[in-house]
Amino acid sequence: SYCADCLNILVGSGTFDSLKDQDPWICYLCQPHKPHGALVPREDWSVRVQELFANNSAMEFEPHRVYPSIPANQRRPLRVLSLFDGIATGYLVLKDLGFKVEKYIASEICEDSIAVATINHEGKIVQVDDVRFISKHHLKQWGPFDLLIGGSPCNDLSIVNPIRKGLYEGTGRLFFEFYRILHLLKPKEEDSRPFFWLFENVVFMNTHDKVNICRFLECNPVLVDAVKVSPAHRSRYFWGNIPGMSRPITASQNDKLSLQECLEIGRKARVCKVRTITTNPNSLKQGKDDSQLPVIQNGKEDILWITELERIFGFPKHYTDVRNMNRQQRQKVLGKAWSVPVIRHLFAPLKDYFTCEELPPMTTNCSSSSSLSAPASPDPQQHR
C-alpha cells in the first residue's frame, strides 16, 4: 500500500483521489514493468519481497544436507508418501514432469478428494486413510520413501479465521503428524540415499505459530505466490530440503497468466487477476466490498464456473467432475488444493535425482503397490 503523500508526490498530483475511484485497483508492482512518475519498480522487486517473508522467524538453522546429483544411468523411480494429499496435486505434477513413480502412498480422509484422485489417476494411488493411524510399522512396510510431501489443514492457523485455535489445538495439531513421520523417515547420516521433503501452509498465520513450525522443522520457509504463474493470488509458505526452492518462480509457455485465458467461450474477464480462491464461495467475488463478480456474460455479471476454477489452479478441465459432486463440493476440494504450476516449480529440481521419461509418459507399473498393506484402500468403482 502507498500513503497519499507518496502517491501525489512520486506519481503525480491528484493520484490518490483518482485511484480511490478505481475498483479493483491493480498495484503498480503487479502491472507490466514501467515507471509511474518518479515511482519505478526495481527489476528484482519480486525477489526482494520474498526475502522479507522468507526468513523473519529470527532464527538461524544449519543448512540442509546437500545430496549430489545422481548419474542418469543410476537414477531410479520415485517412491512418494503424501500426507493430507487432497486431490493428488503432487502425483499429477510428478507425472506431468515425466517422473517414473514406483509408488505413491496418500493419506487423505475427505471422500470427495479421494474420489477425484482415484478416478483421475486410475487407481494408481494407494490410499491409506487417516495420517494419525500411520505407524512406524506401516512406514517400514510401505517404504523406503524418497519424497515426503504434505500441507496440514490451515483453518486453525490462518489469521483470517477469528476463532482459530492455533498450532497446538484443533486441526493445527496435525502439523505434528507431519513432523512425526518426517522424523521417522529421515535417513541416518551414514545413509547416502537422497531423501527430500516438502511442507506447506498459509503465509498469514500467527508469528508464534510460524516460529514454532520453523523450530520443529529446523529451517525457515520460502514464500511462493501463485500469482506469478496463474491468474490467482495464492501466497504460501514452503518448508523443505528440495534444491532450488528459493529461486524466483517464472511462468512457462503453458501457464495461463490472465483470467481471460481460463474462461469459456463467450465470457469476458472483468479483472486480470483474482484474489485467493478458498472453500468459501464469497472468495470468488472481487472489489473492495466483495460486490463485484469477475466475469461478464451476455452483458450480465457472473461467477467463475468450476471448469474455469480448475484452469486457474492448473488442473485439466473436468478434473473434479467425479462422483456426481455439485458445484460447492468441487470448489471445496479445489479451494484446499495446491497450485499446479507452483508445485511444478518446486519439484522440477528432483529430475537430477530420479528417473524421468520422455513425455508423453509411459504407463506406470503399479503391480508393486497392489500388495501394500494399508489402513484403508478405496475401490475406484464406488466413487464413479
Side-chain angles (χ1 to χ4, degrees):
S1 61
Y2 303 88
C3 68
D5 288 340
C6 287
L7 289 171
N8 291 333
I9 294 172
L10 296 175
V11 182
S13 179
T15 300
F16 181 77
D17 290 333
S18 64
L19 291 182
K20 289 193 296 184
D21 297 329
Q22 296 184 29
D23 189 12
W25 171 67
I26 299 178
C27 170
Y28 293 124
L29 292 177
C30 297
Q31 295 179 24
H33 190 276
K34 63 178 182 180
H36 299 271
L39 191 64
V40 182
R42 295 177 182 267
E43 292 288 348
D44 62 343
W45 72 266
S46 61
V47 177
R48 289 171 174 256
V49 168
Q50 292 189 47
E51 289 174 350
L52 287 175
F53 286 90
N55 186 7
N56 61 357
S57 67
M59 302 175 72
E60 295 291 336
F61 300 96
E62 291 292 325
H64 290 298
R65 180 177 179 179
V66 177
Y67 296 102
S69 61
I70 305 297
N73 62 344
Q74 297 179 24
R75 297 172 190 168
R76 61 179 317 283
L78 257 171
R79 299 163 296 188
V80 185
L81 176 59
S82 175
L83 309 180
F84 321 103
D85 185 61
I87 55 177
T89 311
Y91 186 86
L92 174 72
V93 170
L94 290 172
K95 298 307 290 181
D96 283 349
L97 287 171
F99 284 97
K100 288 184 179 180
V101 181
E102 179 180 316
K103 66 177 80 169
Y104 188 98
I105 314 297
S107 170
E108 178 56 57
I109 62 172
C110 171
E111 292 186 1
D112 288 338
S113 297
I114 293 172
V116 172
T118 300
I119 300 305
N120 279 282
H121 304 294
E122 302 174 340
K124 293 183 173 68
I125 297 174
V126 179
Q127 298 286 347
V128 295
D129 202 48
D130 197 325
V131 64
R132 295 172 295 179
F133 301 150
I134 297 177
S135 66
K136 186 176 182 179
H137 171 74
H138 286 127
L139 296 176
K140 186 176 181 179
Q141 184 179 10
W142 303 334
F145 293 102
D146 307 301
L147 177 64
L148 172 68
I149 59 175
S152 58
C154 65
N155 47 307
D156 276 323
L157 295 175
S158 174
I159 61 175
V160 175
N161 179 9
I163 56 172
R164 62 189 179 278
K165 297 179 180 179
L167 187 64
Y168 296 96
E169 298 292 338
T171 59
R173 292 183 295 183
L174 290 173
F175 158 75
F176 294 102
E177 297 298 332
F178 182 93
Y179 170 73
R180 174 179 66 88
I181 292 174
L182 173 63
H183 185 71
L184 291 172
L185 291 181
K186 275 187 175 180
K188 297 180 179 179
E189 278 299 321
E190 61 269 19
D191 189 348
S192 61
R193 172 179 59 91
F195 173 76
F196 299 102
W197 61 273
L198 182 76
F199 178 76
E200 172 270 347
N201 220 292
V202 292
V203 169
F204 299 106
M205 67 171 70
N206 184 289
T207 302
H208 297 297
D209 290 336
K210 179 192 171 186
V211 167
N212 284 325
I213 292 175
C214 293
R215 182 165 57 88
F216 280 99
L217 297 181
E218 300 182 52
C219 66
N220 288 298
V222 296
L223 181 147
V224 184
D225 192 346
V227 76
K228 295 297 178 185
V229 288
S230 79
H233 293 269
R234 198 171 189 82
S235 295
R236 291 294 184 269
Y237 276 140
F238 292 91
W239 290 259
N241 71 335
I242 298 177
M245 286 179 59
S246 60
R247 74 192 191 281
I249 186 169
T250 56
S252 70
Q253 287 184 331
N254 296 327
D255 290 334
K256 294 175 172 60
L257 302 182
S258 69
L259 180 59
Q260 187 62 51
E261 296 177 77
C262 298
L263 300 185
E264 301 288 357
I265 296 175
R267 290 162 62 78
K268 183 177 180 181
R270 302 183 70 184
V271 294
C272 180
K273 305 281 188 179
V274 295
R275 61 178 57 182
T276 300
I277 297 169
T278 70
T279 58
N280 187 341
N282 286 332
S283 66
L284 301 181
K285 297 179 180 180
Q286 311 297 308
K288 296 177 182 176
D289 53 358
D290 297 344
S291 62
Q292 183 184 99
L293 298 181
V295 178
I296 293 289
Q297 183 179 22
N298 298 327
K300 297 181 180 179
E301 288 187 326
D302 196 9
I303 60 174
L304 289 164
W305 294 350
I306 291 298
T307 53
E308 296 166 341
L309 289 182
E310 290 169 335
R311 288 196 191 103
I312 289 172
F313 276 85
F315 291 104
K317 188 176 180 180
H318 299 302
Y319 187 79
T320 59
D321 188 9
V322 303
R323 209 187 184 204
N324 292 325
M325 286 164 53
N326 60 34
R327 177 196 165 80
Q328 184 176 356
Q329 289 173 300
R330 291 172 70 181
Q331 180 177 340
K332 186 174 181 179
V333 297
L334 284 168
K336 296 184 289 185
W338 287 342
S339 170
V340 169
V342 167
I343 303 304
R344 187 187 303 122
H345 161 79
L346 293 170
F347 282 1
L350 295 176
K351 288 188 174 185
D352 288 335
Y353 300 90
F354 303 101
T355 306
C356 291
E357 49 200 349
E358 295 295 328
L359 294 177
M362 298 167 57
T363 302
T364 303
N365 183 357
C366 290
S367 58
S368 61
S369 299
S370 60
S371 62
L372 294 170
S373 173
S377 294
D379 178 2
Q381 294 298 324
Q382 63 183 263
H383 295 299
R384 288 193 181 276

Tab-separated table of all heavy atoms in Angstrom, residues 123-144:
chain	number	residue	atom	x	y	z
A	123	GLY	N	-6.605	-45.369	-10.120
A	123	GLY	CA	-6.303	-46.282	-9.025
A	123	GLY	C	-4.833	-46.513	-8.768
A	123	GLY	O	-4.473	-47.395	-7.970
A	124	LYS	N	-3.948	-45.728	-9.407
A	124	LYS	CA	-2.508	-45.919	-9.204
A	124	LYS	C	-2.031	-45.371	-7.856
A	124	LYS	O	-0.914	-45.649	-7.431
A	124	LYS	CB	-1.725	-45.258	-10.338
A	124	LYS	CG	-1.917	-45.925	-11.699
A	124	LYS	CD	-1.069	-45.260	-12.748
A	124	LYS	CE	-1.135	-46.026	-14.076
A	124	LYS	NZ	-2.465	-45.946	-14.695
A	125	ILE	N	-2.873	-44.558	-7.211
A	125	ILE	CA	-2.537	-44.012	-5.889
A	125	ILE	C	-3.100	-44.942	-4.825
A	125	ILE	O	-4.282	-45.297	-4.855
A	125	ILE	CB	-3.118	-42.594	-5.722
A	125	ILE	CG1	-2.487	-41.643	-6.742
A	125	ILE	CG2	-2.915	-42.086	-4.302
A	125	ILE	CD1	-3.104	-40.260	-6.748
A	126	VAL	N	-2.269	-45.330	-3.882
A	126	VAL	CA	-2.702	-46.183	-2.782
A	126	VAL	C	-3.121	-45.302	-1.619
A	126	VAL	O	-2.297	-44.574	-1.045
A	126	VAL	CB	-1.580	-47.146	-2.351
A	126	VAL	CG1	-2.044	-48.009	-1.172
A	126	VAL	CG2	-1.155	-48.024	-3.516
A	127	GLN	N	-4.393	-45.346	-1.267
A	127	GLN	CA	-4.929	-44.515	-0.191
A	127	GLN	C	-4.813	-45.244	1.147
A	127	GLN	O	-5.148	-46.432	1.243
A	127	GLN	CB	-6.403	-44.174	-0.468
A	127	GLN	CG	-6.639	-43.370	-1.733
A	127	GLN	CD	-6.226	-41.904	-1.581
A	127	GLN	OE1	-5.983	-41.426	-0.469
A	127	GLN	NE2	-6.154	-41.202	-2.706
A	128	VAL	N	-4.335	-44.514	2.172
A	128	VAL	CA	-4.113	-45.139	3.479
A	128	VAL	C	-4.847	-44.415	4.607
A	128	VAL	O	-4.491	-44.541	5.771
A	128	VAL	CB	-2.609	-45.239	3.800
A	128	VAL	CG1	-1.922	-46.170	2.827
A	128	VAL	CG2	-1.939	-43.876	3.793
A	129	ASP	N	-5.851	-43.623	4.258
A	129	ASP	CA	-6.755	-43.044	5.242
A	129	ASP	C	-6.060	-42.056	6.184
A	129	ASP	O	-5.191	-41.298	5.753
A	129	ASP	CB	-7.460	-44.157	6.027
A	129	ASP	CG	-8.770	-43.686	6.660
A	129	ASP	OD1	-9.570	-43.049	5.939
A	129	ASP	OD2	-8.983	-43.928	7.854
A	130	ASP	N	-6.408	-42.053	7.460
A	130	ASP	CA	-6.043	-41.013	8.425
A	130	ASP	C	-4.561	-41.054	8.782
A	130	ASP	O	-4.017	-42.099	9.160
A	130	ASP	CB	-6.878	-41.195	9.695
A	130	ASP	CG	-6.887	-39.963	10.571
A	130	ASP	OD1	-5.857	-39.267	10.639
A	130	ASP	OD2	-7.930	-39.683	11.200
A	131	VAL	N	-3.902	-39.872	8.680
A	131	VAL	CA	-2.471	-39.775	8.970
A	131	VAL	C	-2.162	-40.165	10.416
A	131	VAL	O	-1.078	-40.673	10.723
A	131	VAL	CB	-1.976	-38.339	8.676
A	131	VAL	CG1	-2.635	-37.330	9.608
A	131	VAL	CG2	-0.471	-38.244	8.775
A	132	ARG	N	-3.108	-39.980	11.307
A	132	ARG	CA	-2.872	-40.276	12.727
A	132	ARG	C	-2.717	-41.766	12.991
A	132	ARG	O	-2.199	-42.168	14.042
A	132	ARG	CB	-4.012	-39.705	13.577
A	132	ARG	CG	-4.096	-38.189	13.556
A	132	ARG	CD	-5.339	-37.682	14.254
A	132	ARG	NE	-6.548	-38.092	13.540
A	132	ARG	CZ	-7.788	-37.796	13.942
A	132	ARG	NH1	-7.966	-37.104	15.059
A	132	ARG	NH2	-8.830	-38.205	13.227
A	133	PHE	N	-3.185	-42.594	12.037
A	133	PHE	CA	-3.111	-44.044	12.225
A	133	PHE	C	-1.887	-44.661	11.556
A	133	PHE	O	-1.711	-45.874	11.602
A	133	PHE	CB	-4.380	-44.707	11.668
A	133	PHE	CG	-5.647	-44.213	12.316
A	133	PHE	CD1	-6.841	-44.176	11.603
A	133	PHE	CD2	-5.651	-43.780	13.632
A	133	PHE	CE1	-8.009	-43.724	12.189
A	133	PHE	CE2	-6.821	-43.320	14.232
A	133	PHE	CZ	-8.002	-43.298	13.515
A	134	ILE	N	-1.061	-43.837	10.925
A	134	ILE	CA	0.139	-44.360	10.274
A	134	ILE	C	1.206	-44.604	11.341
A	134	ILE	O	1.629	-43.680	12.033
A	134	ILE	CB	0.656	-43.384	9.203
A	134	ILE	CG1	-0.384	-43.224	8.084
A	134	ILE	CG2	1.975	-43.880	8.620
A	134	ILE	CD1	0.016	-42.220	7.022
A	135	SER	N	1.634	-45.836	11.441
A	135	SER	CA	2.593	-46.214	12.480
A	135	SER	C	3.980	-46.439	11.887
A	135	SER	O	4.165	-46.465	10.668
A	135	SER	CB	2.128	-47.505	13.165
A	135	SER	OG	2.171	-48.580	12.243
A	136	LYS	N	4.929	-46.605	12.768
A	136	LYS	CA	6.296	-46.925	12.343
A	136	LYS	C	6.312	-48.241	11.571
A	136	LYS	O	7.063	-48.401	10.594
A	136	LYS	CB	7.199	-47.001	13.573
A	136	LYS	CG	8.669	-47.181	13.250
A	136	LYS	CD	9.505	-47.138	14.523
A	136	LYS	CE	10.992	-47.278	14.201
A	136	LYS	NZ	11.808	-47.213	15.447
A	137	HIS	N	5.474	-49.171	11.988
A	137	HIS	CA	5.378	-50.452	11.288
A	137	HIS	C	4.897	-50.249	9.850
A	137	HIS	O	5.429	-50.873	8.923
A	137	HIS	CB	4.419	-51.374	12.038
A	137	HIS	CG	4.076	-52.630	11.289
A	137	HIS	ND1	4.959	-53.678	11.138
A	137	HIS	CD2	2.941	-52.980	10.610
A	137	HIS	CE1	4.384	-54.629	10.422
A	137	HIS	NE2	3.167	-54.234	10.082
A	138	HIS	N	3.881	-49.401	9.664
A	138	HIS	CA	3.380	-49.121	8.311
A	138	HIS	C	4.488	-48.531	7.437
A	138	HIS	O	4.661	-48.924	6.273
A	138	HIS	CB	2.208	-48.149	8.371
A	138	HIS	CG	0.938	-48.749	8.869
A	138	HIS	ND1	0.215	-48.214	9.903
A	138	HIS	CD2	0.261	-49.860	8.475
A	138	HIS	CE1	-0.861	-48.950	10.121
A	138	HIS	NE2	-0.853	-49.952	9.272
A	139	LEU	N	5.204	-47.569	7.970
A	139	LEU	CA	6.251	-46.908	7.189
A	139	LEU	C	7.331	-47.898	6.767
A	139	LEU	O	7.847	-47.821	5.638
A	139	LEU	CB	6.864	-45.762	7.997
A	139	LEU	CG	5.916	-44.609	8.353
A	139	LEU	CD1	6.634	-43.594	9.234
A	139	LEU	CD2	5.372	-43.935	7.100
A	140	LYS	N	7.664	-48.803	7.655
A	140	LYS	CA	8.660	-49.815	7.320
A	140	LYS	C	8.133	-50.769	6.257
A	140	LYS	O	8.854	-51.193	5.351
A	140	LYS	CB	9.049	-50.585	8.584
A	140	LYS	CG	10.179	-51.576	8.371
A	140	LYS	CD	10.587	-52.231	9.687
A	140	LYS	CE	11.743	-53.214	9.459
A	140	LYS	NZ	12.167	-53.853	10.734
A	141	GLN	N	6.848	-51.075	6.344
A	141	GLN	CA	6.226	-51.994	5.393
A	141	GLN	C	6.074	-51.367	4.009
A	141	GLN	O	6.300	-52.024	2.991
A	141	GLN	CB	4.851	-52.414	5.928
A	141	GLN	CG	4.124	-53.434	5.083
A	141	GLN	CD	2.795	-53.816	5.686
A	141	GLN	OE1	2.327	-53.195	6.644
A	141	GLN	NE2	2.161	-54.837	5.130
A	142	TRP	N	5.710	-50.078	3.958
A	142	TRP	CA	5.469	-49.410	2.672
A	142	TRP	C	6.746	-48.867	2.048
A	142	TRP	O	6.823	-48.740	0.842
A	142	TRP	CB	4.506	-48.250	2.863
A	142	TRP	CG	3.188	-48.604	3.464
A	142	TRP	CD1	2.554	-49.804	3.408
A	142	TRP	CD2	2.347	-47.736	4.221
A	142	TRP	NE1	1.367	-49.754	4.088
A	142	TRP	CE2	1.204	-48.487	4.599
A	142	TRP	CE3	2.435	-46.406	4.628
A	142	TRP	CZ2	0.167	-47.950	5.343
A	142	TRP	CZ3	1.400	-45.864	5.364
A	142	TRP	CH2	0.274	-46.624	5.727
A	143	GLY	N	7.703	-48.493	2.884
A	143	GLY	CA	8.886	-47.785	2.408
A	143	GLY	C	9.918	-48.689	1.789
A	143	GLY	O	9.644	-49.864	1.515
A	144	PRO	N	11.126	-48.133	1.563
A	144	PRO	CA	11.525	-46.760	1.909
A	144	PRO	C	10.944	-45.743	0.933
A	144	PRO	O	10.498	-46.100	-0.152
A	144	PRO	CB	13.056	-46.819	1.798
A	144	PRO	CG	13.305	-47.867	0.755
A	144	PRO	CD	12.245	-48.901	0.949
